[in-house]
Amino acid sequence: MIKVLVTGGAGFIGSNFVRYALKTHADWHVTTLDKLTYAGRKENLHDVMDDPRHTFVHGDICDAAVAGPLVEASDYVVHFAAETHVDRSIMAAGDFIKTDVEGSFVLLEAARRSPALKRFIQISTDEVYGSVAEGSSTETDELKPRNPYAASKAGADRLAYSYWATHDVPVIVTRASNNYGPYQFPEKIIPLFVTNAMDDIPVPLYGDGGNVRDWLHVLDHCRALDLLIHTGKNGETYNIGGGNEVRNVDLTRAILKHAGKTEALIRPVADRKGHDRRYSLGTAKLQAMGWQPQVAFEQGLRDTVAWYQANEWWWRPIKERDPAYKAYIEAQYGKR
Ligand code: NAD
Ligand code: TYD
């Protein structure tokens, strides 16, 4: 059995990756290490919790006593665990520095003591490039993160690289664009807007709605990671972009259309501080290895809306019964 450690496997992308990995690789045993923060939920792994090839460990990546032995016992580490929401990092950045930077450091130190480790996939983000006025970011571009989330991810991105350059840890860094799909916490734009729309609650569109994000279906992301685990080169960085650059206002209109609602639900609100105008990724490096996104955005978005419509059991407890979630929504949008 190939032993794969997935940190943050109870989150959005991590849980999709765990499910994908168990389905795709019969010879993998996957261990999820997750702290179960507000964004991490066992429900995200409900169908694989009892799989004999999956082990769930409730723990913090910053805790070397827990994380260290798990890294040392692994063939591959796929490191997703992070604080991930830009708006929360603007309100309070401490947890971002702690988990994204220090947590990555703890895992990399363990990786350094693990001669059997074959891959350490550092999941970074396109946000490390900062706002892109023209053209697309390539892997050698300067990093210009502009919000505390992006800056903490950039710190971890380069720290991971340094452990390859200095200690020969088999690190690959990936920078994906905005992911969408099932099991995304309803604070990010797509699940927030879909679930609001279902209940006829207005959708808060920041600024003029002209900010552009490149959308990548989470399963296309999983397929790219799989390819890189098998054929990527240590010490290299790879962009993973969906090739779907969409203005937020157009995304919002499409969500409302698929949800069967009118644009009257759009509520323009004050802009995010330091709001990056546009992200855009050049993906020639990954495409040269044979990867192409397979999910067309229009269909992927339609399916994603349908998933939230069909899985109210998953999101209603968060939106309706989690006091911390309600407090967050009030703090974020109450006076906006
Ligand atoms: P998420 O917020 O849905 O999930 C994060 C997971 O990490 C949760 O399960 C949480 O419980 C866990 N976690 C947080 N702190 C932890 C700690 N100290 N120890 C152990 N577990 C901890 O995030 P996501 O959207 O799935 O993102 C996963 C990764 O992908 C992150 O590294 C993020 O920066 C990166 N990324 C995300 C996107 C995107 O669009 N969502 C795009 C590019 C890169
Ligand atoms: P988000 O889903 O938070 O991802 P990120 O900031 O990591 O790109 O936001 C995506 C875009 O949607 C971003 O330009 C901000 C915008 N947005 C809104 O307009 N309203 C909202 O309520 C949220 C959460 C985001």
Side-chain angles (χ1 to χ4, degrees), residues 126-127 130-136 177-178 189 205-206 208-215 243-251 271-272 275-281 297:
D126 64 352
E127 302 204 16
S131 198
V132 184
E134 282 170 9
S136 300
S177 59
N178 283 63
I189 188 168
L205 186 60
Y206 297 166
D208 65 0
N211 300 63
V212 172
R213 295 294 182 265
D214 167 33
W215 291 97
N244 301 300
E245 287 183 38
V246 183
R247 292 186 312 156
N248 290 339
V249 64
D250 297 324
L251 172 70
D271 209 355
R272 172 186 280 174
H275 195 176
D276 285 342
R277 190 68 177 168
R278 172 174 175 259
Y279 299 136
S280 177
L281 283 180
F297 184 63

Side-chain angles (χ1 to χ4, degrees), residues 283-304:
T283 54
K285 190 170 173 180
L286 191 62
Q287 300 219 2
M289 294 170 66
W291 176 86
Q292 290 273 3
Q294 292 176 20
V295 183
F297 184 63
E298 173 83 8
Q299 188 60 46
L301 186 64
R302 195 188 299 274
D303 292 347
T304 299

Side-chain angles (χ1 to χ4, degrees), residues 2 11 18 33 76 79 84-85 90 130 152 160 172 180-181 255-256 273 297 309-310:
I2 292 170
V18 169
L33 171 60
Y76 309 141
H79 172 33
T84 62
H85 193 38
I90 294 167
S152 69
I172 284 176
Y180 71 103
I255 290 170
L256 292 172
K273 284 188 196 171
F297 184 63
Q309 287 174 326

Side-chain angles (χ1 to χ4, degrees), residues 48-65:
V48 294
M49 272 318 228
D50 296 330
D51 189 317
R53 289 189 295 113
H54 178 229
T55 304
F56 180 81
V57 178
H58 183 196
D60 188 335
I61 57 164
C62 299
D63 183 350

Side-chain angles (χ1 to χ4, degrees), residues 175-192:
R175 300 181 185 145
S177 59
N178 283 63
N179 280 222
Y180 71 103
Y183 301 102
Q184 187 169 30
F185 195 78
E187 63 184 355
K188 306 277 164 56
I189 188 168
I190 291 180
L192 177 69

Side-chain angles (χ1 to χ4, degrees), residues 61-228:
I61 57 164
C62 299
D63 183 350
V66 174
L70 293 175
V71 171
E72 288 172 43
S74 301
D75 296 294
Y76 309 141
V77 173
V78 190
H79 172 33
F80 294 100
E83 290 293 335
T84 62
H85 193 38
V86 172
D87 289 324
R88 290 187 192 252
S89 81
I90 294 167
M91 291 166 116
D95 288 348
F96 289 74
I97 308 303
K98 183 87 188 153
T99 285
D100 302 13
V101 183
E102 204 177 319
S104 297
F105 164 66
V106 168
L107 297 173
L108 288 161
E109 275 294 300
R112 203 182 141 182
R113 298 188 303 268
S114 308
L117 187 67
K118 296 184 194 71
R119 291 287 191 208
F120 186 105
I121 308 290
Q122 175 68 28
I123 305 289
S124 187
T125 167
D126 64 352
E127 302 204 16
V128 299
Y129 295 115
S131 198
V132 184
E134 282 170 9
S136 300
S137 305
T138 55
E139 289 84 350
T140 50
D141 282 1
E142 192 182 343
L143 305 190
K144 292 183 179 171
R146 289 166 25 89
N147 61 64
Y149 160 68
S152 69
K153 292 296 291 185
D157 172 317
R158 290 300 82 193
L159 189 68
Y161 175 78
S162 80
Y163 272 63
W164 172 76
T166 308
H167 298 302
D168 216 20
V169 173
V171 168
I172 284 176
V173 176
T174 65
R175 300 181 185 145
S177 59
N178 283 63
N179 280 222
Y180 71 103
Y183 301 102
Q184 187 169 30
F185 195 78
E187 63 184 355
K188 306 277 164 56
I189 188 168
I190 291 180
L192 177 69
F193 283 18
V194 174
T195 55
N196 274 16
M198 283 173 65
D199 286 346
D200 293 308
I201 298 169
V203 298
L205 186 60
Y206 297 166
D208 65 0
N211 300 63
V212 172
R213 295 294 182 265
D214 167 33
W215 291 97
L216 170 70
H217 193 275
V218 67
L219 288 179
D220 279 326
H221 188 182
C222 293
R223 284 186 273 268
L225 295 174
D226 196 2
L227 179 72
L228 291 172

